[in-house]
Amino acid sequence: MVAELVRGQNHPLSQVRLEIRVSAGRPVVAAATLGDESGRIHGVEWVAHPGAPTLPGLEVSRQAAADHRLAVDLDAVPAAVHRVDVLLALPPGAGGPASFGSLSAPFVAVTGLDGAEVASYTITGLNAESAVVALELYRRQGAWKVRAVGQGYAGGLAELLTDQGLPQAHELAAAVDEAVARELARSLPAPPPLPADGDRSRQTATSTLGPDQSGSPYGTQQGGPHQGGAHQGAQGAVGPYGAAQNPQGAPGGPASADPDATQPAQAPTASTGGPIDYSHPRRQNTAPPPPPPSAPPAPPGQPARPVAGDATGWSMDERLYNQVWGMFEDLARTTAAYRSAVDFADTRMEKELDQVLSDPRSRIGGQGDAAREAAQNRRLQLVDQAREALDRDLVQLGAEADVVEPALPAAFARWDNPVWQAYRAPMEMPMALRLGDLHLPESDPLRIPMLVRLPLERGLWIDSGRSGSSEGAFVDAHDMRRLATESAVAHVARLLAVHPAGEFTVHVVDPAGSGARELAPLVRSGVLAAAPAAGAAGVAAILGQLTERVDLVQMAVRGGAADSLPPGFDTSQQLLVVNDFPHGFDDRAVTQLRYLADEGPAVGVHLMMVADREDAGGYGPLLDPLWRGLLRLTPVAEDHLADPWVGHAWTYEPPLVPPGSQVLQQVLAQVAEARTKYT
């Protein structure tokens, strides 16, 4: 679990070889200092900066950049070192921001070598400061911890280093400025004008530094896509997709260099201009074989055309999965930058208006009106600039989505994708499943597929209750229940379709028979284990059977006798679909249902509930753990999926079958035919 730190909070570190990732939105200088037990720096040789980027156990970037990766090996730092401070400073020169207050809040994340985030910190509250101590890694009683600091200095890097006890602070700050300016002049020789539809974030990352901006001594590491993370950095971001995952078949992610190498790698060579590569830098660091297909040559000065599978992975499906995650991260990040810019513009206008109104002389005559108009115009200018940058990014993401969507396999594809017309039962379970689409208000009509890893790690709850969205406000209770059951049928059909024949079994409980019409496609096709169970007796029988199954498998696994299950034991994944809960459930049945939700996924028993939480209000807080443990999905579009990475509320759209389409019946018929051949 990622620790999202606030200022002053600390968190233990379970690893000593780390990567510190910085995302600032605009180029900043990254440096690090080594300190003794009192935090004192012994000399300039204890400071890693662009002019001297490597120290024992530490390496920083050689130039200013919007994103940094700092490599840290705490076992390799000198024994006298008890503290490692990560510093950020604004680069010198005209045209850049003078203080962090004019930028979006910098984000810093501590990750393992597999890319999984350990802790993150968003540095808020900065105003006139031009240098800041972002994080502190410190040793306490033999164990290392990380602390969120966020201490800013208006006097820049010189004042910061002076505060840390370095006598040559001003001289070193000047040397850092000189090194940054030298690298900037070397890496940016008279670039051509930026095209109108250029990709701001990707051009910056690839044209100035190349794929790896940090020159990590451990080689570039590739972890899986991150939840809510948003700096997945969101993530990894951790997003509504679930916890961070490593690519299937590559625990910890493949590396492009030996992680046990002791010699630091050379810093990447700066680009010398030429066409901007469209590809996302984080998705080209460590491409395992086979490499993704190359894009056609782009016209000079134009970004390369997007390519389906432009991500790392050992198979095309894995590359597409990681590419979708990258698109999710990109959309989260660019939207966060836009919203931050709008917030800054609003705050700046309010401050300017407060200053105008605080002077009584400006309240009379036209002077005050002119000042208000000027402040509002400046705000509009800032917002327009931010929107222009967002629109450029959305155009690029839209072009990528147009290429990726048709190339998705059946498990990742929408129901209207032609891949379903040629569907055949697969020979193995895919790595993920599409549960719907995600989008943000600013990104309409761009949609990002919502993919979850298989096997499911938590149950699904199709909420048939009243929706808080504008779309659901016009749907009455009866229609909402019908839509919820139809949505559940579509999810069940997809789960059956993506599993090999005979490896996924579905049980349905419909105590009152209220979903008979909507469940008819599953019943008629013969893909269910048995007819939907009705009444309290049917509920008790199904729950008892699955509860006994969970107990039996748990005992076999814990006893180390997983191969000694009874002859004829069905080893397929099991799914229990409960419609119209809590009708037909007594206290014992409710307890068994909670047990299946908690213990079932670990032994291949999964739960899908179609229910309105208000109907179960009589149980009070008893069922709160059940609702929290399930992934809530809605039959209509609703912005209920929270993203703790950057704080977005993503709008979820269910995977609806196109009106009048027979694709669902065709797929279920294929599943039933494959099952007949299998048995």
Side-chain angles (χ1 to χ4, degrees), residues 1-13 106-111 117-124 134-138 145-150 644-645:
M1 183 177 180
V2 180
E4 298 180 5
L5 306 179
V6 297
R7 185 172 183 177
Q9 185 179 2
N10 60 45
H11 184 74
L13 295 174
F107 177 86
V108 186
V110 180
T111 75
E117 283 191 14
V118 178
S120 64
Y121 173 43
T122 301
I123 311 172
T124 59
L135 291 178
E136 173 185 81
L137 311 179
Y138 65 97
K145 295 183 178 182
V146 57
R147 177 186 289 120
V149 181
W645 184 21

Coordinates of all heavy atoms in Angstrom, one line a residue, residues 1-13 106-111 117-124 134-138 145-150 644-645:
M1 N 0.8 -1.2 0.0 CA 0.0 0.0 0.0 C 0.9 1.2 0.0 O 1.8 1.3 0.8 CB -0.9 0.0 1.2 CG -1.9 1.1 1.3 SD -3.0 1.0 2.7 CE -3.9 2.5 2.5
V2 N 0.6 2.2 -0.8 CA 1.4 3.4 -1.0 C 1.0 4.4 0.2 O -0.1 4.6 0.5 CB 1.1 4.1 -2.3 CG1 1.9 5.3 -2.4 CG2 1.4 3.1 -3.5
A3 N 2.0 4.9 0.8 CA 1.8 5.9 1.9 C 1.9 7.3 1.3 O 2.9 7.7 0.7 CB 2.9 5.8 2.9
E4 N 0.7 8.0 1.3 CA 0.6 9.3 0.8 C 0.9 10.3 1.9 O 0.0 10.5 2.8 CB -0.8 9.5 0.2 CG -1.0 8.6 -1.0 CD -2.4 8.8 -1.6 OE1 -3.1 9.8 -1.2 OE2 -2.8 8.1 -2.5
L5 N 2.1 10.8 2.0 CA 2.6 11.6 3.1 C 2.1 13.0 3.0 O 1.8 13.6 2.0 CB 4.1 11.6 3.1 CG 4.8 10.2 3.1 CD1 6.3 10.4 3.1 CD2 4.3 9.3 4.3
V6 N 2.0 13.6 4.2 CA 1.7 15.0 4.4 C 3.0 15.6 5.0 O 3.8 14.9 5.6 CB 0.5 15.3 5.2 CG1 -0.7 14.8 4.5 CG2 0.6 14.7 6.6
R7 N 3.1 16.9 5.1 CA 4.3 17.6 5.6 C 4.6 17.1 7.0 O 3.7 17.2 7.9 CB 4.2 19.1 5.5 CG 5.4 19.8 5.9 CD 5.3 21.3 5.6 NE 6.5 22.0 5.9 CZ 6.7 23.3 5.7 NH1 5.7 24.0 5.2 NH2 7.8 23.9 6.0
G8 N 5.8 16.7 7.2 CA 6.3 16.2 8.5 C 6.1 14.7 8.8 O 6.6 14.2 9.8
Q9 N 5.3 14.1 8.0 CA 5.0 12.6 8.2 C 6.1 11.8 7.7 O 6.8 12.1 6.8 CB 3.7 12.3 7.5 CG 3.2 10.8 7.8 CD 1.9 10.5 7.1 OE1 1.4 11.4 6.4 NE2 1.4 9.3 7.3
N10 N 6.4 10.7 8.4 CA 7.4 9.7 8.0 C 6.8 8.4 7.7 O 5.7 8.1 8.1 CB 8.6 9.7 9.0 CG 8.1 9.2 10.4 OD1 7.3 8.2 10.5 ND2 8.5 9.9 11.5
H11 N 7.7 7.5 7.1 CA 7.2 6.2 6.7 C 8.5 5.3 6.7 O 9.5 5.7 6.1 CB 6.5 6.2 5.4 CG 5.9 4.9 5.0 ND1 4.8 4.4 5.6 CD2 6.3 4.0 4.0 CE1 4.5 3.2 5.0 NE2 5.4 2.9 4.1
P12 N 8.4 4.1 7.2 CA 9.6 3.2 7.1 C 9.8 2.7 5.7 O 8.9 2.6 4.9 CB 9.2 2.0 8.1 CG 7.7 2.1 8.1 CD 7.3 3.5 8.0
L13 N 11.1 2.5 5.4 CA 11.5 2.0 4.1 C 12.0 0.5 4.3 O 12.8 0.2 5.1 CB 12.7 2.8 3.6 CG 12.4 4.3 3.3 CD1 13.6 5.0 2.9 CD2 11.3 4.3 2.1
P106 N 4.8 20.4 -7.0 CA 5.6 19.3 -7.4 C 5.2 18.0 -6.7 O 4.8 18.0 -5.5 CB 7.0 19.7 -7.0 CG 6.9 21.2 -6.8 CD 5.5 21.5 -6.4
F107 N 5.4 16.9 -7.3 CA 5.1 15.6 -6.8 C 6.4 14.7 -6.7 O 7.1 14.7 -7.7 CB 4.1 14.9 -7.7 CG 3.7 13.5 -7.2 CD1 2.7 13.3 -6.2 CD2 4.3 12.4 -7.7 CE1 2.4 12.0 -5.8 CE2 4.0 11.1 -7.3 CZ 3.1 10.9 -6.4
V108 N 6.6 14.1 -5.6 CA 7.8 13.3 -5.4 C 7.3 11.9 -4.9 O 6.5 11.8 -4.0 CB 8.7 13.9 -4.3 CG1 10.0 13.1 -4.2 CG2 9.0 15.4 -4.7
A109 N 7.9 10.9 -5.5 CA 7.5 9.5 -5.1 C 8.8 8.7 -4.9 O 9.7 8.8 -5.6 CB 6.6 8.8 -6.1
V110 N 8.8 7.9 -3.8 CA 9.8 6.9 -3.5 C 9.4 5.6 -4.0 O 8.3 5.1 -3.6 CB 10.2 6.9 -2.1 CG1 11.3 5.9 -1.8 CG2 10.6 8.3 -1.6
T111 N 10.1 4.9 -4.9 CA 9.7 3.6 -5.5 C 10.8 2.6 -5.3 O 12.0 3.0 -5.1 CB 9.3 3.8 -7.0 OG1 10.5 3.9 -7.7 CG2 8.5 5.0 -7.2
E117 N 5.4 2.0 -6.0 CA 5.6 3.2 -5.1 C 5.6 2.7 -3.6 O 4.8 1.9 -3.2 CB 4.5 4.2 -5.3 CG 4.7 5.1 -6.5 CD 3.8 6.3 -6.5 OE1 3.1 6.5 -5.5 OE2 3.6 6.9 -7.6
V118 N 6.5 3.3 -2.8 CA 6.5 3.1 -1.4 C 5.9 4.2 -0.6 O 5.1 4.0 0.3 CB 8.0 2.9 -0.9 CG1 8.0 2.7 0.6 CG2 8.6 1.7 -1.6
A119 N 6.2 5.4 -1.0 CA 5.6 6.6 -0.4 C 5.6 7.7 -1.4 O 6.4 7.8 -2.4 CB 6.4 7.0 0.8
S120 N 4.7 8.7 -1.3 CA 4.6 9.8 -2.2 C 4.3 11.1 -1.4 O 3.7 11.0 -0.3 CB 3.6 9.6 -3.3 OG 2.3 9.5 -2.7
Y121 N 4.6 12.2 -2.0 CA 4.4 13.5 -1.3 C 4.2 14.6 -2.3 O 5.0 14.7 -3.2 CB 5.6 13.8 -0.4 CG 5.6 15.2 0.2 CD1 4.4 15.7 0.8 CD2 6.7 16.0 0.3 CE1 4.4 16.9 1.4 CE2 6.7 17.2 0.9 CZ 5.5 17.7 1.4 OH 5.5 18.9 2.0
T122 N 3.1 15.3 -2.2 CA 2.8 16.4 -3.1 C 3.1 17.7 -2.3 O 2.6 17.9 -1.2 CB 1.3 16.5 -3.5 OG1 1.0 15.2 -4.2 CG2 1.0 17.6 -4.4
I123 N 4.1 18.5 -2.8 CA 4.6 19.6 -2.0 C 3.7 20.8 -2.3 O 3.8 21.5 -3.3 CB 6.1 19.9 -2.5 CG1 6.9 18.7 -2.5 CG2 6.7 21.0 -1.6 CD1 8.3 18.8 -3.1
T124 N 2.9 21.1 -1.3 CA 1.9 22.2 -1.4 C 2.3 23.3 -0.5 O 3.2 23.2 0.3 CB 0.5 21.7 -1.1 OG1 0.5 21.2 0.3 CG2 0.0 20.6 -2.0
A134 N 12.6 18.6 -0.5 CA 11.3 17.9 -0.8 C 11.2 16.7 0.2 O 10.2 16.6 0.9 CB 11.4 17.3 -2.2
L135 N 12.2 15.8 0.2 CA 12.1 14.6 1.1 C 13.4 14.5 1.9 O 14.5 15.0 1.5 CB 11.9 13.4 0.2 CG 10.6 13.1 -0.5 CD1 10.7 11.9 -1.3 CD2 9.5 13.1 0.5
E136 N 13.3 13.7 2.9 CA 14.5 13.4 3.7 C 14.5 11.9 4.0 O 13.5 11.4 4.5 CB 14.5 14.2 5.0 CG 15.5 13.8 6.0 CD 15.4 14.6 7.3 OE1 14.5 14.1 8.1 OE2 16.0 15.6 7.5
L137 N 15.5 11.2 3.6 CA 15.8 9.8 4.0 C 16.7 9.8 5.1 O 17.8 10.4 5.1 CB 16.3 9.0 2.8 CG 15.6 9.1 1.4 CD1 16.4 8.3 0.4 CD2 14.2 8.7 1.5
Y138 N 16.3 9.2 6.2 CA 17.1 9.3 7.4 C 17.2 7.9 8.1 O 16.3 7.1 8.0 CB 16.6 10.4 8.4 CG 15.3 10.1 9.0 CD1 15.1 9.5 10.3 CD2 14.1 10.4 8.3 CE1 13.9 9.3 10.8 CE2 12.9 10.2 8.8 CZ 12.8 9.7 10.1 OH 11.5 9.4 10.6
K145 N 14.1 5.5 7.1 CA 12.8 6.0 6.9 C 12.8 7.2 6.0 O 13.8 7.8 5.7 CB 12.2 6.5 8.3 CG 12.0 5.4 9.3 CD 11.3 5.9 10.6 CE 11.1 4.8 11.6 NZ 10.4 5.3 12.8
V146 N 11.6 7.6 5.5 CA 11.5 8.7 4.6 C 10.5 9.7 5.3 O 9.5 9.3 5.9 CB 10.9 8.4 3.2 CG1 9.6 7.6 3.3 CG2 10.8 9.6 2.3
R147 N 10.9 11.0 5.2 CA 10.0 12.0 5.8 C 9.7 13.1 4.8 O 10.6 13.5 4.0 CB 10.7 12.7 7.0 CG 9.9 13.8 7.6 CD 10.7 14.6 8.7 NE 10.8 13.8 9.9 CZ 12.0 13.4 10.5 NH1 13.1 13.8 9.9 NH2 12.0 12.7 11.6
A148 N 8.5 13.5 4.7 CA 8.0 14.6 3.9 C 8.4 15.9 4.5 O 8.0 16.2 5.6 CB 6.5 14.5 3.6
V149 N 9.3 16.7 3.9 CA 9.8 18.0 4.5 C 9.0 19.2 3.9 O 8.3 19.9 4.6 CB 11.3 18.1 4.3 CG1 11.8 19.4 4.9 CG2 12.0 16.9 4.8
G150 N 9.2 19.5 2.6 CA 8.5 20.6 2.0 C 9.0 22.0 2.5 O 8.2 22.9 2.5
P644 N -7.1 8.5 -5.8 CA -6.3 9.1 -4.8 C -5.0 9.6 -5.3 O -4.2 10.3 -4.7 CB -6.1 8.0 -3.8 CG -6.3 6.8 -4.5 CD -7.2 7.0 -5.6
W645 N -4.6 9.2 -6.6 CA -3.3 9.6 -7.1 C -3.3 11.2 -7.3 O -2.4 11.8 -6.8 CB -3.1 8.9 -8.5 CG -1.8 9.1 -9.1 CD1 -0.7 9.6 -8.6 CD2 -1.6 8.9 -10.5 NE1 0.3 9.6 -9.5 CE2 -0.2 9.2 -10.7 CE3 -2.3 8.5 -11.6 CZ2 0.4 9.2 -12.0 CZ3 -1.7 8.4 -12.8 CH2 -0.4 8.7 -13.0

